[in-house]
Amino acid sequence: MALMEALSRDPTLLALSRQPMANVLDAEELGEEKEERLRRLYSRFLYCWGHPLWTRWRKQAQEDIEFHSGEEQWPRETRQRLEAEKRPVLQINQIRPVVAILPGYERSARLEMRPIPVGAEDLDDLTTLGRIMKKEGEDRELDYVHSEMFKEAAICGLSVAYVGVDYTEDPVYGQPFVLKVKPGEVCWDPDAVEYGLRDARDVFWFKVVPLDELKAGYPEHAEALEEAASMLSSIYPEGPIYVPSTDPADAYRSPSDDAIPLFDQVRKELMVLEGWYRVWDTVWLLVNKQTQEVDQFEEGDPGLPMARAAARELPGTYKIVSRRRKRIEMTVMVPATFLELERGNPFDNDADDGRQRCGERACAESEIDEFGP
């Protein structure tokens, strides 16, 4: 913040920066806006879950898994007919041995994870970082997770892993982990076309969790979870509540073979949905045209009025530019009652990343100047 330190010593700019600011919305989200956001995310999940891309994959993946196990190598009708005639149903499973060999070839040709330097200052730490990564990989049995994922992808064409930090055993530093997600629990924007999902609007991960585990994991919501379970049990006493079908041809919205129970009152389980979605906000860059130093401000930042005043009073030295920033937000909710359990931004990006490039480009783009208070 070298620019702001220099500007703060200028009494003229300090006086100008104290001019009234436009009203900024409070950071706390209103209840109606929160419910609307959760309903919108749930609608997006239903769209992704019911899209032909994912329904077709779930059906074909289940067939592939059963074919690999040998259970469904005979057509179901033929198997039933033979069993009804008390005739033996014989088969030679030539698929499973081949699939069992593939992970061995992949493991023998796999390269070790290595840190990639970003700048010359990282070269001295490569050896240490490499040893740390190798030790953590051995402690977390990462080779076996990779092999299982490769085997699963060879069978049904897709495998997903979740990389995170577990704070349940070490609350201070946490422990990194890699969790292989069950097939079909994750779906993302079916309209995304880029390989790395950079253009995906959202990614969803659902799990059916026992009520006791939910209350233990979110003690601040224990009472609300219990009330939600009691309400759902009284409204739907006969059986599990399923995610409704989104197939237009299904007029009765009947549950399919891969239906997800929103709530199971017999087993006391609730569906929990974790959604990762993109949001946009505005950031302001104060650029020193002479040194190309850049300071970044967000809406509501106390230093933003001073930056505007500097750009207005000293246009030959300073320039302020607005940029739209794309971020990832995360929420965890219970779709049956739209109860939000967790929300936040899971990533803490480097605050200085890309500022120099933005500053150089800002000096060359005069049409987006912002000198207003």
Side-chain angles (χ1 to χ4, degrees):
M1 300 293 289
L3 289 179
M4 291 309 301
E5 292 178 0
L7 294 175
S8 62
R9 293 191 289 267
D10 191 325
T12 304
L13 295 179
L14 277 174
L16 291 171
S17 67
R18 296 193 178 98
Q19 295 177 356
M21 291 180 59
N23 293 331
V24 179
L25 291 177
D26 186 70
E28 292 295 329
E29 191 175 23
L30 300 178
E32 296 180 356
E33 296 175 350
K34 177 180 178 180
E35 183 175 353
E36 181 183 357
R37 174 175 54 83
L38 296 179
R39 289 184 180 275
R40 184 172 63 252
L41 283 174
Y42 183 58
S43 298
R44 285 288 305 170
F45 167 71
L46 292 180
Y47 169 74
C48 296
W49 178 259
H51 194 277
L53 172 70
W54 289 110
T55 55
R56 183 171 58 249
W57 178 83
R58 288 195 298 272
K59 179 181 178 180
Q60 295 176 352
Q62 186 62 33
E63 292 177 354
D64 294 339
I65 292 173
E66 293 174 351
F67 196 86
H68 168 263
S69 66
E71 181 179 352
E72 293 295 336
Q73 291 193 7
W74 281 86
R76 187 169 301 179
E77 296 80 5
T78 305
R79 174 188 288 273
Q80 292 175 352
R81 179 172 55 81
L82 293 175
E83 291 176 348
E85 296 174 358
K86 299 186 181 304
R87 297 171 59 183
V89 183
L90 303 178
Q91 62 187 26
I92 300 176
N93 194 338
Q94 297 181 347
I95 303 298
R96 183 182 292 180
V98 175
V99 174
I101 293 175
L102 289 178
Y105 283 120
E106 188 273 336
R107 188 182 300 120
S108 62
R110 183 186 305 158
L111 299 177
E112 290 186 358
M113 288 193 306
R114 296 179 180 179
I116 300 177
V118 178
E121 66 277 4
D122 300 330
L123 296 176
D124 296 337
D125 301 326
L126 285 183
T127 303
T128 303
L129 291 175
R131 291 175 179 174
I132 293 174
M133 293 174 64
K134 185 175 181 179
K135 178 66 166 57
E136 289 294 327
E138 293 175 353
D139 293 343
R140 308 292 171 254
E141 299 180 338
L142 196 56
D143 287 339
Y144 298 99
V145 176
H146 280 171
S147 297
E148 287 298 316
M149 291 182 61
F150 182 83
K151 179 180 178 180
E152 186 174 272
I155 296 172
C156 56
L158 176 66
S159 185
V160 180
Y162 179 82
V163 182
V165 181
D166 180 17
Y167 291 96
T168 57
E169 297 183 5
D170 187 351
V172 179
Y173 300 105
Q175 295 179 348
F177 69 92
V178 180
L179 175 65
K180 188 178 76 66
V181 181
K182 293 181 180 179
E185 284 189 352
V186 174
C187 62
W188 53 80
D189 183 4
D191 300 319
V193 295
E194 292 193 24
Y195 180 77
L197 299 181
R198 292 178 59 87
D199 59 336
R201 288 180 56 184
D202 29 46
V203 177
F204 297 101
W205 180 19
F206 78 88
K207 295 186 71 175
V208 181
V209 185
L211 181 60
D212 293 339
E213 290 188 14
L214 273 179
K215 294 195 297 185
Y218 298 94
E220 66 276 14
H221 298 291
E223 184 176 351
L225 288 167
E226 190 65 43
E227 291 178 357
S230 300
M231 180 189 68
L232 292 170
S233 297
S234 61
I235 297 176
Y236 303 97
E238 298 180 357
I241 314 167
Y242 288 96
V243 171
S245 170
T246 55
D247 185 0
D250 186 4
Y252 295 98
R253 297 293 187 263
S254 57
S256 61
D257 293 338
D258 59 349
I260 315 168
L262 283 172
F263 174 66
D264 190 336
Q265 58 270 42
V266 177
R267 303 176 64 177
K268 292 295 182 182
E269 293 179 339
L270 280 166
M271 171 189 168
V272 178
L273 180 64
E274 181 171 339
W276 307 64
Y277 56 98
R278 299 190 185 278
V279 296
W280 296 81
D281 56 13
T282 303
V283 295
W284 300 87
L285 305 177
L286 180 65
V287 184
N288 188 319
K289 297 181 180 181
Q290 300 174 357
T291 63
Q292 291 194 0
E293 295 182 39
V294 182
D295 276 337
Q296 180 176 307
F297 305 90
E298 299 182 3
E299 291 290 347
D301 194 312
L304 182 56
M306 188 183 301
R308 292 178 183 271
R312 184 174 57 248
E313 299 299 323
L314 302 172
T317 304
Y318 297 106
K319 181 177 187 175
I320 193 165
V321 181
S322 65
R323 286 281 186 266
R324 293 291 287 169
R325 178 177 61 182
K326 181 171 59 177
R327 297 184 295 107
I328 295 177
E329 289 283 345
M330 179 270 293
T331 187
V332 180
M333 67 172 172
V334 178
T337 58
F338 295 104
L339 171 64
E340 188 171 41
L341 303 176
E342 187 178 347
R343 183 192 179 192
N345 185 352
F347 301 109
D348 293 327
N349 294 327
D350 184 1
D352 295 324
D353 184 27
R355 286 197 196 174
Q356 187 67 23
R357 293 190 299 274
C358 289
E360 294 172 355
R361 185 174 63 177
C363 290
E365 297 180 359
S366 59
E367 67 274 13
I368 54 175
D369 287 4
E370 173 58 37
F371 298 110

